[in-house]
Amino acid sequence: MNKIDIPDDFEAFLENKKAEELARQQRLAKVKITSGAELMQKHFEEPKYLWDSVLPDAGLAVMAASKASGKTMILLQLADAISKGRDFLGLPTRLTKTLFIELELSERRTQQRLLKMGIVPDNMLHFAFRWTPGDEGLKTIADAVKENQYGLVVVDVLQMLWPMDADANSYQDVYSVLSPFRQMANDLGVMIVLVTHRRKAETADYLDGVIGSVGIQANSDVIFSLIRTRGENEAVLYIDGNDIESAKIALRFDSDPLGFSLS
């Protein structure tokens, strides 16, 4: 019996179908689909917080405020409280090793500010005054968290780590910059707080005042907005987030010691 010749194009067709099926299986292997019944039978721990009911123990938070409003001071107070496990603005915190990446103030000015605020850091609160921008800076934060077991990292300010080729006014660029931050924070179990600025013009919704707010809101678990007119003693801290109740805290800005307290 003579052997039947199979056209080359048919063999190519079969190889192409095999390649398509293999690619399909590989794509499906990268995702996990769970039924609703299975999901509801799973047990998850209750959410944990570094600052009770306000700041979760992992994820991405953003502090937005205008220049000279006191955003660095209030975060220094928060970092000091968490690194010592002391109450902050009437709410308890959980003792956590903290890294404060200060990219706007020098070591000398930071020390002077801490003295005026009456803050005496211990070995649970660390500072860094130089950091690599862009993707390498992100990886360096991950390295530092793993090396020193930080549970809270404050970056003041975000723009100093911003990649040179990324447009802060572009939703796509903001999303592409912040999404890796959030993913890294959740993978490592660390809370990262990024400091940014508010627009000069007043807005009806305080969230709309955050520069790059659409991309920021999409990637932030918590958004803090500090509203204070320069030279005024009264301030308001707005708090919003995915799994927390929105809050509005009235604050008083004090000069001795320097910092904020409940109004």
Side-chain angles (χ1 to χ4, degrees):
M1 184 175 181
N2 295 331
K3 182 179 179 180
I4 300 175
D5 293 330
I6 300 176
D8 291 341
D9 57 348
F10 182 71
E11 291 183 352
F13 171 78
L14 292 178
E15 289 298 321
N16 186 55
K17 296 298 290 184
K18 289 180 181 179
E20 288 180 354
E21 176 62 20
L22 178 60
R24 186 182 72 86
Q25 294 294 338
Q26 289 175 339
R27 287 194 299 270
L28 287 172
K30 294 178 182 178
V31 301
K32 183 179 180 181
I33 299 175
T34 302
S35 73
E38 291 174 327
L39 174 64
M40 299 310 294
Q41 290 176 0
K42 291 187 176 183
H43 172 73
F44 299 99
E45 292 185 2
E46 289 296 316
K48 296 179 180 178
Y49 294 89
L50 301 182
W51 184 21
D52 190 33
S53 72
V54 175
L55 192 64
D57 64 349
L60 185 69
V62 170
M63 166 65 79
S66 302
K67 183 175 177 61
S69 60
K71 58 186 179 298
T72 299
M73 277 183 280
I74 197 169
L75 286 175
L76 283 171
Q77 289 180 276
L78 175 63
D80 177 59
I82 289 177
S83 68
K84 294 173 180 172
R86 298 193 310 203
D87 288 4
F88 181 62
L89 299 181
L91 295 173
T93 68
R94 195 177 80 197
L95 178 65
T96 304
K97 197 172 184 180
T98 300
L99 171 64
F100 203 107
I101 303 176
E102 178 50 72
L103 302 177
E104 285 199 321
L105 299 180
S106 65
E107 291 185 43
R108 179 179 63 83
R109 290 185 61 196
T110 300
Q111 183 194 74
Q112 290 174 340
R113 180 164 293 186
L114 290 171
L115 289 171
K116 290 180 180 180
M117 296 175 70
I119 292 178
V120 181
D122 57 24
N123 289 331
M124 290 291 286
L125 177 56
H126 294 181
F127 291 87
F129 297 92
R130 291 193 305 273
W131 211 266
T132 307
D135 185 58
E136 185 176 344
L138 179 67
K139 293 177 181 177
T140 307
I141 290 177
D143 294 336
V145 169
K146 294 175 184 177
E147 181 75 17
N148 298 284
Q149 299 300 304
Y150 295 122
L152 171 64
V153 176
V154 179
V155 181
D156 183 17
V157 293
L158 167 63
Q159 281 72 14
M160 297 293 286
L161 290 183
W162 202 265
M164 295 295 292
D165 58 348
D167 182 0
N169 296 313
S170 163
Y171 173 83
Q172 183 174 356
D173 283 5
V174 171
Y175 199 99
S176 66
V177 170
L178 294 187
S179 180
F181 267 103
R182 189 181 191 187
Q183 184 64 53
M184 179 190 72
N186 285 303
D187 289 344
L188 296 178
V190 60
M191 170 52 65
I192 300 178
V193 180
L194 304 174
V195 182
T196 189
H197 296 95
R198 290 182 54 81
R199 305 179 197 279
K200 292 182 179 180
E202 291 297 325
T203 57
D205 187 333
Y206 65 90
L207 287 177
D208 292 336
V210 182
I211 292 178
S213 60
V214 177
I216 286 177
Q217 289 181 51
N219 283 284
S220 300
D221 297 289
V222 182
I223 297 179
F224 299 107
S225 292
L226 179 65
I227 311 295
R228 171 178 168 258
T229 301
R230 186 172 184 173
E232 296 292 329
N233 292 330
E234 299 301 317
V236 177
L237 179 65
Y238 291 92
I239 303 169
D240 212 322
N242 295 330
D243 297 313
I244 63 173
E245 291 188 19
S246 298
K248 175 182 176 182
I249 303 177
L251 302 174
R252 182 178 65 251
F253 182 73
D254 303 309
S255 57
D256 188 18
L258 193 64
F260 292 91
S261 59
L262 288 173
S263 176

